[in-house]
Amino acid sequence: IYVKPLLKLAEDCEVKGLVHITGGGFWENIPRILPDETAVEIDKTTWARPKVFDLLQDLGNVEEHEMLRTFNCGIGMIAMVPGDQAKAALASLKASGETAALIGKVTARDGEGEQVTIHG
């Protein structure tokens, strides 16, 4: 469902990586495309989490870490672009009819530390 917007994004920006947030969620899918020496910091306050995920979490008594491993929590796809192209990437995706947000950044990894940090 993202093919046309992502092809347009690739024309407009230098896409370094794409992550489909499906089974495995944020914790397992993001590291699959990262070089070992890099990490990602994500801020959960940067997007509107659909209420259905709050309902699932409450009714199922599911911990937040498990929610982010099992469900996309409103983020279906992550496109990684150079920081100086983030605004252009957002504009491209929005022009294609997508709801897009800057949700995080790629950083240097601290030794053997986690590759994905989520806060907010």
Side-chain angles (χ1 to χ4, degrees), residues 15-80:
V15 177
K16 297 288 192 173
L18 296 168
V19 181
H20 194 197
I21 304 301
T22 58
F26 294 85
W27 306 116
E28 295 173 24
N29 294 337
I30 295 171
R32 290 182 181 138
I33 70 160
L34 293 176
D36 287 340
E37 66 276 4
T38 62
V40 170
E41 294 178 13
I42 295 176
D43 180 356
K44 292 188 308 183
T45 67
T46 57
W47 76 90
R49 178 170 154 160
K51 298 291 183 202
V52 67
F53 295 109
D54 296 332
L55 181 64
L56 288 168
Q57 186 171 20
D58 291 342
L59 291 175
N61 194 29
V62 181
E63 293 183 15
E64 185 67 10
H65 187 278
E66 184 65 14
M67 287 296 296
L68 294 165
R69 190 190 71 76
T70 305
F71 303 105
N72 70 26
C73 295
I75 299 295
M77 178 73 70
I78 294 175
M80 296 185 187

